[in-house]
Amino acid sequence: MSLAMLRTRASLGLEAPEVQVEVHLSNGLPGLSIVGLPEAAVKESRERVRSALLNAGFEFPARRITLNLAPADLPKEGGRFDLPIALGILVASGQIPEEAVAAMECLGELALDGSIRAVTGVLPAALCCRKAGRTLVVPRGNADEAALAEELEVLAVGHLLELVAHLLGRERLTPHVCSIIPQARLPEPDLSEVRGQHQARRALEIAAAGGHNLLFAGPPGTGKTMLASRLPGILPPLGEGEALEVAAVRSVCGLPIMERWGQRPFRAPHHTASGVALVGGGSKPRPGEVSLAHHGVLFLDELAEFDRGVLEVMREPLESGRILISRASHQRRFPARFQLVAAMNPCPCGYLGDSRRNCSCTPAQIQRYQARLSGPLLDRIDLQVEVPGLPAEELTSATPGEASAGVRERVLAARARQLARGGLNAHLDTHALEAACQLEDGERQWLAGVLSRLNLSARAYHRVLRVALTLSDLIDQDGVQRPQLMEAIGYRQLDRMMGRDPARPGAGAQQRSA
């Protein structure tokens, strides 16, 4: 037979569209041409495939070989097509029967000696292959990753000869079973190590219970980073579907997926990170930090030190939970449902309003520093909390704070109430939010007056309702009452921490009361 067709998978972000590898042998001058929009690495596969087949003892046809990677308008990149191309040549030249490869998909990069090397992005391909009901052949280095897709028959091979022996029925391969039981391996930092900071701890619990974004503001060394790193420890573990989504993102990025299995991601990019590093992109779009933090926490330390343009690109994923990267010829969509936790100083020196040390910044420096954060971005942060310096006696106290386990129990109970309503409070649509709050007329009028005096936007109004509803869930209360509204509004007044009189650096906060 001079024509063969095999199936494999391309890697386009988190998608793994099916690709048919068509091989045709014809008369003419010997040569191999590849069509179907191949990138440079795919074009180079002809040399790898030729050497691998010859060194493994197979015949390389001395005929004109035409390879088509269909569909033709889908970009193909990487070395993942080496294995299906080699098998296609063997089938087309009659060295392997066509029916042996009819119900399988394969991917892998070939070495010149015929061994098969691991590739990235195998988990999305495995999930798609399971849905199609076929067997998947992968390099041995990717076998455990592919086996995470349950009910999928995975054949792990280390050399081309092993696979051909299996296809010819000489030495059958057994389906691979994951050799590593997926489980969380790294311990989470515990809240009991945090001394004092009761309001910040309270805000951390509210954020965990409702999925809210959180900003800590205060002088250096007051525990803002320490508090943020404890958030994953009070969040519920990932469900199976969520864990697979997180693992798929890490697989595409070439990162290990087993070391934090079932644990919430915690990403903390440096403040010099570019917009592409944060949200993803590049000439060949790849996930950024917001996608690596999917179903977890994105921690931005020194928030005001980030370039303002970099911060502004996060506004869309904060609202939609995804990021769409468009190029002239294609688009890539990546998930980005994360919790933002940020920390910042109130001024360049960090000591504006600190009772322990005077601020040395000029009014112009303070204004420029605080202007790096736009109003629309701050509107999307539900909880804005001051983290003041601790008195020496409280800092040196031997009494530990409440452990993460106790806080997690309350968080789980509050989340159970929310999931029964249809989703976390931070993600409820407006209609469901209003129905859940059950505000009486008196509470609505009081809230309208407060919003008018504080000049809060419509988005901020709904954020206040979401936080107030989470406060009600934490005490197992139906609807929202004035105490919850007052506390929720208190978490949105960033001017109490940073909006101080610039003519008197180091002075106390200007108080605004509702």
Side-chain angles (χ1 to χ4, degrees):
M1 179 178 182
S2 60
L3 179 65
M5 288 183 289
L6 286 90
R7 297 182 182 89
T8 184
R9 297 276 169 179
S11 179
L12 298 180
L14 294 188
E15 299 175 2
E18 181 180 314
V19 172
Q20 283 199 348
V21 179
E22 302 172 346
V23 182
H24 180 233
L25 305 184
S26 60
N27 296 327
L29 291 176
L32 191 155
S33 59
I34 303 177
V35 296
L37 210 56
E39 300 288 346
V42 182
K43 293 179 181 178
E44 293 169 353
S45 68
R46 55 190 171 193
E47 306 301 333
R48 293 192 297 270
V49 169
R50 176 185 173 86
S51 295
L53 289 176
L54 293 175
N55 288 324
F58 297 105
E59 176 190 351
F60 190 83
R63 301 174 66 184
R64 180 172 181 80
I65 305 174
T66 303
L67 288 167
N68 180 38
L69 306 178
D73 60 345
L74 185 71
K76 323 296 189 309
E77 59 184 38
R80 62 198 298 121
F81 300 102
D82 289 3
L83 183 57
I85 287 174
L87 290 180
I89 292 174
L90 292 176
V91 172
S93 59
Q95 300 177 67
I96 295 177
E98 181 183 10
E99 58 273 12
V101 297
M104 77 175 206
E105 298 180 10
C106 59
L107 49 90
E109 179 181 335
L110 285 175
L112 299 185
D113 64 350
S115 58
I116 304 174
R117 293 179 175 143
V119 295
T120 60
V122 167
L123 184 54
L127 295 173
C128 292
C129 183
R130 178 181 66 178
K131 187 175 181 180
R134 303 189 185 104
T135 299
L136 181 63
V137 179
V138 296
R140 187 164 286 121
N142 295 123
D144 284 340
E145 178 182 341
L148 292 175
E150 296 180 356
E151 299 179 3
L152 170 67
E153 184 177 353
V154 177
L155 299 180
V157 293
H159 197 279
L160 189 57
L161 288 172
E162 296 179 35
L163 180 56
V164 173
H166 168 79
L167 296 175
L168 294 177
R170 298 172 184 168
E171 189 174 347
R172 304 295 294 182
L173 295 172
T174 58
H176 180 79
V177 177
C178 188
S179 60
I180 303 175
I181 300 176
Q183 59 183 353
R185 301 181 186 178
L186 302 179
E188 300 282 9
D190 200 278
L191 261 177
S192 61
E193 301 167 0
V194 178
R195 298 287 188 271
Q197 303 297 5
H198 302 293
Q199 185 184 26
R201 289 173 60 102
R202 168 75 166 166
L204 201 68
E205 180 177 340
I206 298 168
H212 305 289
N213 301 320
L214 173 63
L215 170 64
F216 291 126
T222 56
K224 301 186 293 294
T225 302
M226 188 178 188
L227 282 160
S229 64
R230 269 64 185 169
L231 178 56
I234 60 176
L235 291 172
L238 292 171
E240 182 180 351
E242 294 174 328
L244 284 174
E245 290 180 26
V246 171
V249 176
R250 295 181 64 86
S251 173
V252 169
C253 294
L255 298 175
I257 63 177
M258 295 294 189
E259 63 182 18
R260 290 184 60 87
W261 181 266
Q263 291 178 293
R264 300 276 172 177
F266 183 84
R267 304 293 299 184
H270 193 260
H271 63 261
T272 58
S274 65
V276 171
L278 202 60
V279 301
S283 58
K284 299 176 182 177
R286 292 172 59 84
E289 292 292 337
V290 297
S291 296
L292 288 168
H294 183 54
H295 289 314
V297 177
L298 178 66
F299 176 51
L300 301 184
D301 200 6
E302 305 295 346
L303 182 66
E305 297 295 341
F306 282 81
D307 183 84
R308 177 164 177 161
V310 171
L311 294 178
E312 293 304 301
V313 298
M314 290 202 309
R315 284 159 56 176
E316 178 193 348
L318 280 172
E319 286 287 338
S320 64
R322 64 180 185 274
I323 185 73
L324 179 65
I325 300 172
S326 297
R327 294 292 179 265
S329 60
H330 56 269
Q331 292 182 335
R332 299 288 184 273
R333 181 178 284 104
F334 299 112
R337 179 65 72 190
F338 60 92
Q339 273 188 263
L340 174 64
V341 180
M344 64 175 293
N345 299 326
C347 67
C349 78
Y351 295 101
L352 179 62
D354 189 6
S355 59
R356 303 169 301 169
R357 182 172 172 178
N358 290 330
C359 174
S360 60
C361 303
T362 65
Q365 287 175 326
I366 296 173
Q367 184 178 10
R368 284 195 301 270
Y369 183 81
Q370 296 181 1
R372 296 179 184 178
L373 304 181
S374 68
L377 178 64
L378 291 176
D379 258 358
R380 290 168 168 82
I381 301 179
D382 305 352
L383 302 163
Q384 302 160 5
V385 184
E386 184 175 11
V387 185
L390 289 177
E393 58 273 13
E394 191 170 0
L395 184 62
T396 58
S397 172
T399 305
E402 184 181 9
S404 294
V407 179
R408 190 189 301 113
E409 290 183 5
R410 296 194 294 271
V411 168
L412 291 175
R415 285 201 170 208
R417 286 177 55 90
Q418 295 168 48
L419 294 177
R421 281 198 298 264
L424 294 181
N425 292 334
H427 309 148
L428 283 180
D429 59 48
T430 303
H431 178 74
L433 177 64
E434 295 280 358
C437 287
Q438 303 174 16
L439 288 180
E440 298 180 356
D441 292 340
E443 306 300 336
R444 290 184 182 277
Q445 294 175 2
W446 175 86
L447 182 57
V450 172
L451 295 175
S452 178
R453 289 196 297 273
L454 296 180
N455 295 320
L456 295 181
S457 67
R459 180 185 290 114
Y461 160 69
H462 287 110
R463 299 279 176 175
V464 166
L465 289 184
R466 295 178 196 281
V467 174
L469 186 57
T470 299
L471 292 169
S472 295
D473 290 332
L474 283 169
I475 59 175
D476 198 18
Q477 171 184 290
D478 293 329
V480 171
Q481 298 178 5
R482 188 168 302 186
Q484 289 82 48
L485 292 173
M486 293 176 66
E487 185 175 356
I489 291 171
Y491 289 124
R492 292 209 58 86
Q493 297 184 61
L494 189 62
D495 59 326
R496 297 184 60 185
M497 297 175 277
M498 296 169 52
R500 300 170 172 89
D501 185 356
R504 297 186 296 112
Q510 296 176 351
Q511 300 294 326
R512 299 179 69 178
S513 58

